[in-house]
Amino acid sequence: MRRRRWRALSVALVGLLVTGCFAPQGPMFGDGSSVPEEAARVPLRVRPGPDGTWALNSPEDGLLGQDRTIARRAGPERPGWTATLPAEFALTSQRPGTAHSAYVDGSVVVLVGGSAGREGPSAVAGLDIATGRLSWRRTLAPRSRVFLHDSGFGTVVEAQCGGGSCRMSGWGLLSGERRWARTEQGAVRMLDSCQADAFLPAQRRSVDRCYPYLVTAERIAALDPDDGRVSWMKDVRLPRGRIDRIRAYQGRITLATAPVRGSCLVTVAALPSPGSTDDTDRGWQRTLVWDQPQAPRDPDTGCRWDRTIPLVVGSHMTLPDAKGALVSTPGVGAPGPSRRLAPGEYLVADTSRREVVRRPGRPDRPLFATEDRVRPPGLTPAARELTRHVWQDGRRLLLLDHEDRVLWEDTSDCQAFRHSENGDFLTYCDGTDLVTLRPVSRD
């Protein structure tokens, strides 16, 4: 009897698990059978920039910001508002931490300001997402850099490095109150492994997996933003040259130097994993002539070098060697690349993180020959896949079925974007309106 009861209970549990795991999903863009339906239409209170995008676009929070206007779309239990920012905090940069940019974290937006005639940020301020009002402001010392870390207590870090030391302060994200201050002798630079100096800028709400790092000529240390504690790494050898980029991935730190003027030589080095008991894990170094075909010549170095271009594309790390870009899987100890692209080729990623090989004057192709073509026939190289089977080509918006037949078509006056807020949504601009679509089953 007990066995029968246990068997019946097991069958019921398995049924529940199977039902929960394999229950039919609701309509989704790109499932081949759903079409868009208008879910909301509101006035477009923030016009995008010349390229059709916004300096601040946080769909999860309903936030759009460009120049001196910032607005929040109303939603369930979410009041809407529109605010005019002070000129110092006008939003024009999409690179968080630079002057005229913004970070978004939960209930606060951290604005990074800039002033005329000054290089770099001039001040930071907190903006209350619930009301659209500034809640605090801090003036920055000249030549300061700003870092945001939202794990733990949530901290804004200011660092001023020069003269062989770095002066640092940590302020509360919500209050702007100073939590700690310290000076670290010997440090010459602080690197942001989350955003500005990263191989790949972190996605929103994942910055708790990366930290600011202090660098000397010979050592590197992680900074704990919550209390200002500095932890120097032991028994590591840094590459020669000015450390310019950093990546922390699966316990391994990878560094890249800035190109040398004239020769364009760059050294990329993976440091040994901290605490590793493997005697063969000594890291690796590779020196190459840096050449990014998609970048203009840098006036200071004379090299084709743009540090805003991600070095991690999809699931691969790309080192732009003049002989041909080296493509490898990041985070592993092996120094050798998995393959080399032809000179002039470089990697870009579509919205599904698939790696695409691009070279001016030639059709795009997938990195792996076994994958499908890069885009449906008839679309231009500028076409962007917003989500599976949904494309924007200039002003055209297209939803295609699995045979690339058009299920729906419209136009957008801005760069449309997909987001998920209790469902699958797509938002675009229709003249003076901001329109949000949701997928519905086609009859």
Side-chain angles (χ1 to χ4, degrees):
M1 181 66 77
R2 288 183 178 178
R3 286 184 179 178
R4 289 180 183 175
R5 288 178 181 174
W6 176 248
R7 186 177 300 169
L9 180 60
S10 299
V11 171
L13 288 172
V14 170
L16 289 172
L17 289 172
V18 171
T19 301
C21 294
F22 300 100
Q25 292 182 329
M28 297 182 65
F29 290 116
D31 61 13
S33 61
S34 296
V35 293
E37 176 185 73
E38 191 170 301
R41 178 180 288 265
V42 298
L44 179 59
R45 303 187 186 281
V46 186
R47 300 298 305 180
D51 64 351
T53 67
W54 293 266
L56 172 62
N57 184 358
S58 180
E60 297 87 350
D61 301 300
L63 289 171
L64 287 175
Q66 183 69 31
D67 297 322
R68 294 187 60 185
T69 305
I70 184 170
R72 192 184 197 195
R73 299 194 309 276
E77 302 181 357
R78 186 176 74 194
W81 48 259
T82 302
T84 300
L85 299 171
E88 183 180 28
F89 294 106
L91 298 172
T92 57
S93 172
Q94 296 182 0
R95 297 175 58 200
T98 60
H100 299 293
S101 68
Y103 295 102
V104 182
D105 173 58
S107 60
V108 66
V109 177
V110 178
L111 303 170
V112 183
S115 58
R118 174 167 169 168
E119 183 179 355
S122 61
V124 290
L127 182 140
D128 188 341
I129 287 182
T131 64
R133 299 189 183 96
L134 296 184
S135 54
W136 56 268
R137 181 187 181 281
R138 285 277 187 175
T139 299
L140 299 176
R143 300 183 303 278
S144 290
R145 297 191 65 194
V146 180
F147 308 84
L148 176 72
H149 196 79
D150 71 353
S151 71
F153 302 109
T155 309
V156 180
V157 176
E158 175 196 10
Q160 183 185 18
C161 297
S165 66
C166 285
R167 295 197 299 270
M168 302 165 289
S169 299
W171 305 318
L173 194 64
L174 297 177
S175 65
E177 295 180 355
R178 189 187 302 273
R179 288 184 174 152
W180 54 265
R182 68 176 296 158
T183 298
E184 193 69 25
Q185 298 295 335
V188 296
R189 198 171 187 202
M190 181 179 283
L191 297 175
D192 180 4
S193 66
C194 304
Q195 291 285 347
D197 308 314
F199 278 31
L200 176 68
Q203 298 298 313
R204 173 141 183 249
R205 305 197 189 284
S206 65
V207 293
D208 57 336
R209 289 177 283 181
C210 48
Y211 293 88
Y213 285 85
L214 288 167
V215 178
T216 74
E218 300 176 346
R219 298 194 299 166
I220 183 170
L223 172 73
D224 188 334
D226 288 339
D227 57 15
R229 185 176 56 208
V230 175
S231 301
W232 292 98
M233 296 180 60
K234 299 179 179 179
D235 302 323
V236 298
R237 182 181 178 184
L238 300 186
R240 297 184 61 182
R242 183 171 68 90
I243 305 298
D244 180 71
R245 305 282 286 274
I246 184 168
R247 175 172 170 82
Y249 184 81
Q250 295 183 353
R252 183 180 296 277
I253 294 176
T254 308
L255 305 169
T257 62
V260 177
R261 181 179 180 83
S263 68
C264 300
L265 289 175
V266 168
T267 299
V268 182
L271 305 182
S273 298
S276 174
T277 57
D278 184 0
D279 294 336
T280 63
D281 182 13
R282 299 184 179 90
W284 54 265
Q285 286 195 15
R286 180 180 291 274
T287 299
L288 59 146
V289 177
W290 201 261
D291 186 75
Q292 294 172 295
Q294 70 273 47
R297 294 282 177 186
D298 176 64
D300 294 330
T301 63
C303 310
R304 291 202 289 188
W305 171 54
D306 184 346
R307 65 191 311 275
T308 67
I309 297 174
L311 300 181
V312 176
V313 178
S315 59
H316 288 78
M317 182 168 67
T318 303
L319 303 181
D321 191 350
K323 297 178 181 179
L326 301 171
V327 180
S328 64
T329 302
V332 298
S338 59
R339 62 185 301 176
R340 185 187 290 274
L341 302 183
E345 292 183 336
Y346 57 92
L347 279 190
V348 296
D350 60 19
T351 52
S352 62
R353 290 177 58 85
R354 182 178 59 167
E355 299 91 344
V356 174
V357 180
R358 179 165 294 172
R359 183 175 183 177
R362 295 187 180 182
D364 289 352
R365 61 180 175 85
L367 178 62
F368 301 103
T370 56
E371 293 183 342
D372 296 335
R373 60 179 179 268
V374 172
R375 66 180 62 86
L379 298 186
T380 71
R384 301 170 53 253
E385 191 175 21
L386 302 171
T387 184
R388 186 166 175 79
H389 297 302
V390 180
W391 291 82
Q392 182 169 6
D393 191 3
R395 296 184 69 246
R396 296 177 66 200
L397 288 176
L398 301 164
L399 172 62
L400 309 178
D401 65 11
H402 295 304
E403 281 74 42
D404 293 334
R405 293 173 297 199
V406 177
L407 295 175
W408 169 87
E409 182 172 355
D410 207 334
T411 60
S412 176
D413 299 313
C414 65
Q415 192 173 107
F417 53 93
R418 183 196 176 201
H419 51 107
S420 298
E421 296 176 271
N422 299 320
D424 192 15
F425 295 94
L426 183 71
T427 295
Y428 70 100
C429 301
D430 182 14
T432 59
D433 290 338
L434 195 66
V435 181
T436 297
L437 304 175
R438 63 187 169 204
V440 295
S441 298
R442 183 174 52 174
D443 295 333

